[in-house]
Amino acid sequence: MYYKDYSREQRDAELGQLWKDLDRFKAQGLALNMARGVPSPDQLSLSLGILNVLYAEADCRAEDGTDCRNYGVMDGIPECKRLLADMLRVKPDMVMIGGNSSLNMMFDTIACFMNHPVTPGCPAWALVPDRKFLCPVPGYDRHFGITEYFGFEMIPVPMDENGPKMDVVEELVKDPSVKGMWCVPKYSNPTGVTYSDEVVRRIAALQPAAPDFRVMWDDAYCIHDLTDEPDQLLNIFEECEKTGNLDLPIAFCSTSKITFPGSGVAAMAACENNMKVIKAKYKYQTIGYDKLNMLRHVRFFGDLDGMKAHMKKHAEVLRPRFEIVLKKLSKQLDEYGIVWYNHPRGGYFVSVNVVDGTAKRVVELCKETGVILTGAGATYPYGKDPYDSNIRIAPSFPSLEDLSTAMDVFCLCARIAALEKLNEA
């Protein structure tokens, strides 16, 4: 029976028992962390072999003869550009290889356009006093942090099971002060949604009032599948080529959750017009990123097929963790009618919507019990969830045993918070 159908006496009795159950967990002195999508030690161990692929001077030369130990090659060695171009499904000449962080490349791209117009005849974004950016929600807090840092007004765009609601997007881009939109198109952070074909086509067909409007296409989870029947995502560049909008997208990816987050390889892809502006900045910023690391990745994987085979090993580690989360939510919460959650087929997160007005309370109760979650509101611009309902669960890092315990605590806290809220009515 749903909690909303309980009598006040039933709710009070239920609360009393739940508090006793939670106190037993508090007495255990738990210290469990599900705040970020951090790979587990088991996942990191999968890539240890990458450290041993370069042994001698001859191993340190790229296919074009470049000595990767030395300066130079600002946009990356050819074989690494080819590998990550295959990952992003673009041509290698559209790709620039960076350091270990695609987030850093996103920050740099926004910083570049703040000071240098990306489209001739348009002012640099810093000269647009009321500049705005579209933010599909729930979304990735670090994306929102970048645009907040650069002084954009962030406009939330609701997400559904197909991606951002395009009727809303198409209306908002009629404003010339709207300069861009964040997108995590496959296994979105945190909802796990993959954009439908219709959504991708409508993004590609956008006619923004601002000629310098850009779509920041963060394809972070493009090969992070959990099942043998992965979601399929249309190629944004192919669709934009059909609509004559090839300047629109700038795509990003990295191997941070494929090899080592601290020493992966990042890449961005864009058309020639965008890359011309971006590279004009990078030539003052760097003489070249870590080419030995690029070479290590190519030698370790060989090609995209090798990378996908490696990702199947990651899926074997991650899948049981996602199963624990989903089974706990189903068995402990579904019958009370107090949550909605996604069933992702890839990515790193499970998005849970608890009773409106209780997400902060759930996170607070979990913290008091020794379970750390991503802060309530983090999946919305400025950290302000208007419904106070969304919580992002990151199951990758804890052991299976710890994750099971953490989810027991989470479910207890969600039930307590829901009953408290109902008793306020």
Side-chain angles (χ1 to χ4, degrees), residues 365-394:
L365 287 171
C366 285
K367 183 178 180 180
E368 291 174 359
T369 313
V371 175
I372 305 301
L373 303 171
T374 303
T379 56
Y380 284 75
Y382 311 108
K384 297 178 180 178
D385 176 356
Y387 306 104
D388 186 25
S389 65
N390 186 254
I391 299 173
R392 186 182 77 174
I393 293 179

Side-chain angles (χ1 to χ4, degrees), residues 71-91:
Y71 286 124
V73 193
M74 181 188 72
D75 62 351
I77 59 175
E79 54 264 60
C80 194
K81 291 178 69 171
R82 190 166 58 247
L83 177 64
L84 270 70
D86 288 345
M87 187 172 163
L88 284 169
R89 298 182 294 164
V90 298
K91 297 175 182 177

Side-chain angles (χ1 to χ4, degrees), residues 182-327:
W182 292 111
C183 291
V184 183
K186 187 174 181 182
Y187 306 133
S188 291
N189 179 353
T191 64
V193 166
T194 296
Y195 291 9
S196 69
D197 291 356
E198 180 188 359
V199 164
V200 176
R201 291 191 178 109
R202 289 175 72 174
I203 291 174
L206 285 173
Q207 296 297 319
D212 54 347
F213 178 91
R214 293 295 181 268
V215 175
M216 302 289 279
W217 195 256
D218 184 3
D219 211 355
Y221 306 110
C222 55
I223 59 172
H224 288 70
D225 306 309
L226 289 173
T227 74
D228 293 329
E229 296 180 352
D231 290 354
Q232 301 298 318
L233 176 71
L234 279 187
N235 188 316
I236 186 65
F237 289 98
E238 290 179 357
E239 296 305 315
C240 284
E241 192 166 24
K242 294 174 186 176
T243 60
N245 256 350
L246 202 51
D247 285 355
L248 199 63
I250 303 174
F252 303 86
C253 73
S254 80
T255 69
S256 290
K257 289 187 171 78
I258 299 173
T259 53
F260 303 129
S263 54
V265 174
M268 64 186 302
C271 70
E272 183 178 359
N273 292 339
N274 289 332
M275 273 298 187
K276 183 178 179 180
V277 177
I278 292 166
K279 287 183 178 180
K281 169 185 175 291
Y282 273 105
K283 74 178 183 180
Y284 295 110
Q285 181 173 330
T286 181
I287 300 171
Y289 287 102
D290 186 346
K291 296 183 293 298
L292 286 175
N293 198 32
M294 298 176 201
L295 196 58
R296 275 192 291 267
H297 278 73
V298 175
R299 299 279 172 85
F300 185 62
F301 292 120
D303 56 20
L304 183 61
D305 286 339
M307 193 178 284
K308 288 182 176 180
H310 187 76
M311 292 309 296
K312 288 184 179 295
K313 299 176 184 177
H314 277 274
E316 290 171 4
V317 177
L318 286 171
R319 194 180 302 114
R321 289 167 163 79
F322 277 80
E323 289 172 353
I324 285 172
V325 170
L326 295 172
K327 286 179 180 178

